[in-house]
Amino acid sequence: MVSEFIERIALLQAHGNGKFPDGMFESFRENKVLLYKRPDSNIFGTVSVGYLLKSLKPFFSEKANEEIDKILVKMEPSFPFYENKDGLKTYNFWQTKPSQHFPSGYFMKHFRHFKLPDDIDDTALVYMTKGYSKKEVNWLKEKLKEHAFPDKVYSTWFGVDMPLERDVCALCNLMSLLLDAKLELNEHDKATIDFLNSTVVSKDFLKNTFWVSRHYATVPLIIYHYARLLGQFEIDEMAESRRVLIDLIPGLFKTEKVWMNKVLLQTAYLKFNENLTCQLVEWNALDESNINSKEFYSFIGAPFAPLKNKYLKQLGSKKVFQIGWKCEAHELALVLENLVLRENYLIGKT
């Protein structure tokens, strides 16, 4: 089954079709209310797949890992298209040379307002997918300081014109990179960890989900990203948030209606790997009819959210004014991750 999923993911890599650079995975942005759908050659879907496959390699056979390496090698030549326009080692959601924001669009691609600066999320995922040196991460940490909040917490954006913004999922990805590099934590790292912890302990992510993470904007995706971080690293300062999330997941899983969100909640629970007695770990996620479920988006755009006008800003939190991104390969990789962790857990129980 693992080899079948890897093969399906490999077959989804682009092969010179004109809309996506070779080796990338196709993504689409859509708004069903407005009957809007466009192919979208962003880097997020591709490096999200790369990061997941690379992180799962310890669970796979040598043969399966050879196939994963082929996928990773094939995607890497596309990364420079998304590199900072001035050659710095930060990365953009869309191609930068020249700028191709809202590709295949008819309206927003013509306006500078909708052009995104480089961001911490794509940058962290690229670094972790292709590999990095400590020198590169040291450089990045210095760059991050230039765009942090006054309280030292890292901001999402590297651009000078973009408002400062915190997104807990992006920060979880960034801290995964910084902790993996095993560099000494600075005051910005510590402030960011404290912020991530307080957002969970206060349960602000349940009350203000969109504003806590407007690019992911659902509780299951937020919990999943916390679990990726806390499942990989033991962070004493986040011990309380870990307990809060473990306690919350069973109830959220029971009431969740969207199939892929249930997959994410189960995966998160398995990543915590602590006294898993809840029935949700027995749930079998493999259901071909639900893969690529229509209600699920792995990434969300809200063009009005960064605006200073408070009325327009509030419109950004309404689904009718949001754009959702789908990437079939990314969703397959998420299901593969779930199956591998679930199987590993069940084997450990026998």
Side-chain angles (χ1 to χ4, degrees):
M1 190 176 296
V2 165
S3 59
E4 177 189 340
F5 265 81
I6 294 172
E7 182 179 358
R8 288 171 66 178
I9 291 169
L11 289 172
L12 290 170
Q13 280 189 289
H15 300 283
N17 61 10
K19 294 187 183 297
F20 300 89
D22 286 359
M24 296 200 70
F25 293 105
E26 295 187 355
S27 289
F28 294 86
R29 63 181 189 270
E30 65 180 35
N31 180 308
K32 292 176 183 174
V33 177
L34 302 178
L35 303 178
Y36 169 88
K37 185 174 182 179
R38 301 282 187 274
D40 191 285
S41 57
N42 64 79
I43 200 171
F44 175 78
T46 295
V47 289
S48 292
V49 174
Y51 171 79
L52 282 168
L53 293 181
K54 191 173 181 179
S55 69
L56 291 173
K57 288 181 70 174
F59 296 98
F60 295 154
S61 67
E62 184 177 344
K63 183 178 179 182
N65 282 331
E66 288 175 359
E67 296 306 310
I68 287 176
D69 287 339
K70 290 178 184 178
I71 294 172
L72 296 174
V73 167
K74 197 175 292 185
M75 70 171 63
E76 194 163 328
S78 66
F79 294 172
F81 295 123
Y82 300 84
E83 195 174 272
N84 175 268
K85 63 181 179 63
D86 297 320
L88 301 177
K89 292 301 179 181
T90 57
Y91 291 85
N92 201 285
F93 187 74
W94 285 308
Q95 293 186 45
T96 59
K97 304 171 185 177
S99 176
Q100 294 190 29
H101 57 291
F102 282 95
S104 305
Y106 303 115
F107 177 73
M108 286 186 280
K109 72 175 185 177
H110 297 293
F111 294 89
R112 187 176 182 274
H113 167 76
F114 299 111
K115 181 179 176 180
L116 296 177
D118 301 347
D119 64 87
I120 63 171
D121 207 14
D122 292 301
T123 297
L125 289 169
V126 170
Y127 273 52
M128 290 188 288
T129 298
K130 73 179 182 63
Y132 58 85
S133 66
K134 286 195 174 184
K135 182 179 179 180
E136 288 175 314
V137 179
N138 266 319
W139 174 86
L140 180 63
K141 282 169 74 88
E142 292 301 312
K143 180 70 174 172
L144 288 163
K145 291 179 185 179
E146 300 173 16
H147 304 279
F149 281 80
D151 64 1
K152 309 300 183 184
V153 176
Y154 294 125
S155 177
T156 300
W157 308 104
F158 289 106
V160 294
D161 297 326
M162 198 76 169
L164 293 175
E165 182 178 349
R166 313 176 204 249
D167 185 303
V168 294
C169 293
L171 288 171
C172 282
N173 286 335
L174 177 64
M175 291 312 303
S176 291
L177 167 66
L178 301 184
L179 290 171
D180 191 58
K182 296 181 173 62
L183 300 172
E184 183 177 352
L185 297 183
N186 62 30
E187 58 183 349
H188 295 275
D189 302 327
K190 293 174 182 177
T192 300
I193 288 172
D194 288 343
F195 169 72
L196 288 171
N197 186 61
S198 65
T199 301
V200 171
V201 173
S202 67
K203 298 188 178 176
D204 195 33
F205 77 104
L206 297 175
K207 296 174 282 188
N208 297 298
T209 307
F210 176 78
W211 297 111
V212 162
S213 179
R214 76 172 178 89
H215 300 286
Y216 293 85
T218 69
V219 169
L221 271 169
I222 291 172
I223 291 177
Y224 168 76
H225 280 81
Y226 270 92
R228 285 212 308 206
L229 175 64
L230 296 175
Q232 185 178 1
F233 303 101
E234 189 169 335
I235 307 172
D236 293 341
E237 297 83 355
M238 295 186 68
E240 189 174 359
S241 58
R242 178 189 179 94
R243 289 192 296 270
V244 169
L245 292 172
I246 290 172
D247 290 343
L248 281 173
I249 290 173
L252 293 169
F253 180 87
K254 186 176 181 179
T255 58
E256 180 58 56
K257 304 298 183 186
V258 177
W259 181 83
M260 183 59 84
N261 284 340
K262 291 179 84 75
V263 170
L264 292 176
L265 288 170
Q266 186 187 50
T267 297
Y269 204 61
L270 291 165
K271 281 181 177 293
F272 285 125
N273 194 27
E274 184 174 307
N275 300 322
L276 304 183
T277 57
C278 175
Q279 283 189 336
L280 74 85
V281 299
E282 305 296 333
W283 180 69
N284 186 358
L286 187 57
D287 184 341
E288 288 289 326
S289 65
N290 285 315
I291 293 178
N292 200 24
S293 51
K294 295 179 181 179
E295 307 93 339
F296 176 78
Y297 296 107
S298 58
F299 196 82
I300 294 167
F304 291 133
L307 298 177
K308 293 181 180 179
N309 183 291
K310 66 178 182 179
Y311 300 107
L312 291 175
K313 190 178 184 72
Q314 282 300 319
L315 290 179
S317 64
K318 309 300 181 185
K319 289 190 180 297
V320 68
F321 296 107
Q322 294 175 2
I323 299 170
W325 270 263
K326 293 190 74 66
C327 174
E328 183 180 354
H330 186 194
E331 293 181 34
L332 284 172
L334 288 169
V335 176
L336 173 60
E337 177 187 40
N338 177 278
L339 296 175
V340 170
L341 294 183
R342 182 174 176 274
E343 181 180 356
N344 187 63
Y345 167 76
L346 293 175
I347 289 174
K349 296 293 284 185
T350 58

